[in-house]
Amino acid sequence: MAVRNETRVTQFILLGLSSDPNLQLTFFLLFLLMYLLTVAGNLLIVLTIVVDSHLHSPMYFLLSNLSLLDLGFSTVAIPKSLVNFLSHTRSISFNDCIAQMFFLHLFGGVECFHLVLMAYDRYVAICNPLRYTTIMSRRVCLLMVVSTWVIGFLHACGQVFPTIQLPFCGPNEINHFYCDAHPISALACSNTFISENSDMINSGILILGCFLVVSMSYTYIICAVLKIRSAEGRQKAFSTCASHILVVTLYFGPLVFMYMRPPVTFSGDKLISGFYTIVTPVLNPFIYTLRNEQVKKAMRRLGGKKVFSAVA
């Protein structure tokens, strides 16, 4: 594996966030805490929406799907990182590395389009309230969600295929805590111009397209909300949209910095990429529940049912 141009790399070494043993333990505890909060928070939202019939509407159907996406996104990246924080080798096989990259881009791509659907849902609810139930029917919602998975799958394939065509003959140390296209391509022992630029174009079109559609949707929404005569109505509309806008900002901001630029490595890349793979998934449940009275009431009803069942 160490002989260039003669032996193909069969595994990579993930350098992680630090080589300091004390920092490794600190990162392990931090990542573990955030992952447990991500799992608990997102599963609680999904369970609440599934159980409570008051939340069986398109907005909450999309919210439950977002929670599942966040859960999948974190599960692809964090468990392997937790193992590596306590391991001396920090190795990952070539196939596992490619699989991790594929699923990260799958969940990431689907989430980009899912945020577009959530923005469109709020646009219809506020700008066309009388036609909301017709436009956002159960069948339409299901078709839109399925379409996001199809597009996300194609995006992930577009990221993985150029990378696996590259020859890897050493070195095999990835300067990251998970496998991604640019850090892997940097290890290839051939010209990576086509591969890295196709990755940038693929991700750039997806991220920029979704971001522009979301921005346009919320521009129309804000204009429509400002025309509402009732102060209570404006406040309720702004409250719902504020949560969505905050999630969009937290998610797309780091993505724009990481993927809509030439293939150049910066010292802060690992921390920024950790923001949308670790921080955002754990924040989303709190953002939506703390600002959504219906979800909080549903959680209290769910807690009441559990208490009643335990007493019975």
Side-chain angles (χ1 to χ4, degrees):
M1 183 167 58
V3 181
R4 181 175 292 273
N5 295 328
E6 293 184 7
T7 307
R8 181 178 175 83
V9 167
T10 58
Q11 68 175 13
F12 293 108
I13 306 299
L14 292 167
L15 296 182
L17 296 175
S18 173
S19 58
D20 187 325
N22 295 323
L23 285 178
Q24 291 276 50
L25 180 59
T26 301
F27 283 130
F28 171 82
L29 295 174
L30 180 62
F31 274 45
L32 178 61
L33 175 62
M34 298 188 75
Y35 183 62
L36 292 176
L37 288 173
T38 299
V39 173
N42 285 290
L43 285 181
L44 179 59
I45 286 182
V46 173
L47 178 63
T48 302
I49 292 173
V50 170
V51 171
D52 198 299
S53 59
H54 297 86
L55 301 181
H56 291 178
S57 66
M59 183 178 79
Y60 295 108
F61 170 70
L62 295 175
L63 176 57
S64 64
N65 277 278
L66 178 65
S67 294
L68 291 175
L69 287 171
D70 283 336
L71 185 58
F73 208 4
S74 293
T75 300
V76 174
I78 298 182
K80 181 61 180 176
S81 298
L82 292 174
V83 173
N84 287 341
F85 284 139
L86 301 180
S87 171
H88 295 290
T89 60
R90 291 177 287 180
S91 63
I92 182 171
S93 71
F94 181 86
N95 291 335
D96 287 346
C97 188
I98 295 300
Q100 186 183 54
M101 182 175 70
F102 174 83
F103 284 106
L104 279 169
H105 282 278
L106 172 65
F107 286 116
V110 174
E111 185 155 339
C112 284
F113 282 98
H114 201 76
L115 291 173
V116 172
L117 294 187
M118 295 180 74
Y120 177 70
D121 172 75
R122 291 300 85 204
Y123 165 77
V124 176
I126 293 174
C127 299
N128 294 284
L130 298 179
R131 299 181 58 202
Y132 179 74
T133 55
T134 303
I135 297 175
M136 297 298 294
S137 65
R138 180 175 298 182
R139 179 174 177 274
V140 170
C141 287
L142 185 59
L143 286 174
M144 289 194 300
V145 169
V146 171
S147 68
T148 63
W149 281 95
V150 172
I151 299 173
F153 175 80
L154 295 175
H155 163 69
C157 290
Q159 291 293 107
V160 169
F161 285 161
T163 304
I164 61 177
Q165 302 301 318
L166 297 172
F168 296 95
C169 45
N172 66 337
E173 293 183 340
I174 299 176
N175 188 23
H176 217 302
F177 64 93
Y178 65 81
C179 295
D180 203 359
H182 174 60
I184 296 175
S185 298
L187 302 179
C189 46
S190 68
N191 192 304
T192 60
F193 177 82
I194 296 177
S195 172
E196 291 190 330
N197 281 277
S198 64
D199 292 339
M200 184 183 67
I201 293 171
N202 181 8
S203 296
I205 291 174
L206 181 144
I207 295 169
L208 181 61
C210 291
F211 181 72
L212 289 177
V213 172
V214 170
S215 300
M216 185 171 59
S217 297
Y218 280 112
T219 299
Y220 281 112
I221 289 171
I222 292 172
C223 291
V225 170
L226 292 175
K227 295 178 182 178
I228 298 176
R229 296 181 179 180
S230 168
E232 183 180 352
R234 285 197 302 270
Q235 183 179 1
K236 184 178 179 181
F238 270 127
S239 178
T240 302
C241 293
S243 300
H244 294 195
I245 293 173
L246 181 57
V247 169
V248 167
T249 303
L250 291 174
Y251 186 69
F252 279 105
L255 285 180
V256 168
F257 176 80
M258 289 297 298
Y259 293 104
M260 293 186 62
R261 72 183 198 205
V264 179
T265 301
F266 295 102
S267 58
D269 283 354
K270 288 185 281 189
L271 292 177
I272 293 173
S273 59
F275 198 84
Y276 58 80
T277 55
I278 301 169
V279 178
T280 303
V282 77
L283 288 179
N284 282 353
F286 294 99
I287 292 172
Y288 281 107
T289 55
L290 291 177
R291 298 186 62 88
N292 193 305
E293 287 298 326
Q294 283 186 281
V295 174
K296 287 191 286 187
K297 289 178 181 178
M299 287 182 176
R300 285 194 288 268
R301 287 194 294 267
L302 180 63
K305 290 179 182 178
K306 289 183 177 180
V307 171
F308 180 78
S309 299
V311 173

